[in-house]
Structures are given as C-alpha cells and as structure tokens.
Amino acid sequence: MSLHNALSDEKFWKIIAVWWHSLDDDRGQRAELRRAKTPAEVYISPAYRDGIVRNLTQFALTESELERLALPIGVLARVRNLTSGSHFAALFGTRGKGSPAMRDVRFRRLLAIANDNTDGMDENRDELFRILVRMVRLTDDTATLNGLIKGGIWWNDVTKREWARQYYTHRTN
C-alpha cells in the first residue's frame, strides 16, 4: 500500500491519533521528537522508528514515504491539543497569535516555500518544518491532524491553494 492510499484508510488516521495520545505517557519519545530540528533528524531518531513507524508496518510504506511522513510527525510531536473538524490553516487564521497583519505575513512566508522536489529531503522541507513548528506555537500548541499531516507530506501547488483557501476564508480580524 502506498502512503497516498494509507491516507484514505481510517485505520491509518486512528493509528496516528492513538500514537499522538500515547505521547502523553511516553514523554521520552515526545522529548526526543521535539528536539529534532529538521525532518531528517526526526526520520533518523529511534523515537520515530520505535514509535509511529512500528505502528504503521501494516501499510508497508517505503523508506521514501517514511521520510516524507517524518516532517508532519515531528511537528505533531510539538502539539499539545488536537482539534477536529477544521483545517490547520483555518485554525491558524482564527486562533493564531499576533495581529491579523502579522498572521498574514507569516502565512505568506509559508506559502512562499518552494514545492517539494522528488526526493522529499531538502532545505525547503527544513524551512517548511520550522515554519509549521512556529505556527503550532502561535496557535497555543494546537493543531488539526488531517491538514497538518497531508500538507506536511506533500507541499505543492495543490496543497498551497487548499491552505490559502482555508486560511483566508476563516481568518479573523
């Protein structure tokens, strides 16, 4: 099964949610993932391999797909509150700290990050990781699972349009 197909499977999302909740009981795993400064550091960490990767073995994800998944998992390890029903960009538009003008500047920086290249391990992904971590902090460590995971895996023009649509239609002044 590919990562694309896994994202359509309810079991995948349940495993991610259960794993995220388990971080409350496994602070060592959370701390190790939170110390990672890049998606590559998440990918090579024992916490990533022994935690979420082990739980996803039934999906037979390739190493390349696991490298892509490391980015949103590293960001998710910094989240303290998950909300449902909303996109992360919409959440940032409504609950992000700072003035609306500053949120707009931060959001435009996110959208300015170049699309992924084919290998998924480049400095653009490092910048995407840093900005998403910052945005999570600015939403009081709150995020939504679906948009954060999908956007972190595939950062491209389609993702950017969806994030822009969610942010600009939900932002508050």
Side-chain angles (χ1 to χ4, degrees):
M1 179 180 281
S2 70
L3 182 56
H4 182 75
N5 290 336
L7 292 172
S8 301
D9 191 323
E10 288 290 324
K11 284 186 259 176
F12 175 85
W13 293 103
K14 185 171 183 168
I15 289 170
I16 297 284
V18 167
W19 167 80
W20 180 81
H21 285 289
S22 76
L23 293 177
D24 288 339
D25 298 327
D26 190 346
R27 293 178 182 215
Q29 187 179 147
R30 181 188 294 273
E32 186 176 342
L33 292 171
R34 288 175 58 104
R35 281 192 296 272
K37 293 180 175 54
T38 65
E41 288 182 18
V42 172
Y43 175 72
I44 64 172
S45 71
Y48 180 66
R49 292 293 173 161
D50 296 341
I52 192 64
V53 170
R54 182 176 292 165
N55 293 333
L56 293 173
T57 55
Q58 65 185 293
F59 296 101
L61 302 177
T62 66
E63 285 303 312
S64 175
E65 291 170 330
L66 292 173
E67 287 178 16
R68 290 196 159 279
L69 184 60
L71 186 154
I73 292 299
V75 175
L76 196 57
R78 288 156 167 88
V79 171
R80 294 290 182 179
N81 306 299
L82 275 181
T83 64
S84 60
S86 180
H87 193 280
F88 182 65
L91 182 71
F92 184 72
T94 57
R95 295 178 53 179
K97 291 180 182 172
S99 69
M102 282 308 299
R103 282 196 310 260
D104 284 354
V105 169
R106 290 177 178 124
F107 193 74
R108 284 195 304 268
R109 277 191 202 135
L110 174 72
L111 295 179
I113 297 172
N115 293 352
D116 287 341
N117 63 20
T118 54
D119 67 9
M121 298 299 284
D122 61 34
E123 62 189 48
N124 293 333
R125 294 202 44 90
D126 292 350
E127 181 65 12
L128 178 61
F129 181 78
R130 281 189 290 274
I131 288 180
L132 288 175
V133 166
R134 208 172 299 137
M135 289 174 73
V136 165
R137 282 191 203 120
L138 292 170
T139 56
D140 292 324
D141 301 326
T142 302
T144 60
L145 195 57
N146 193 303
L148 187 61
I149 293 286
K150 289 180 178 175
I153 291 172
W154 289 294
W155 188 250
N156 54 36
D157 288 340
V158 173
T159 303
K160 290 177 187 181
R161 280 195 298 273
E162 176 61 20
W163 282 55
R165 188 175 18 257
Q166 292 291 330
Y167 175 78
Y168 289 113
T169 58
H170 292 92
R171 73 178 170 169
T172 57
N173 292 322

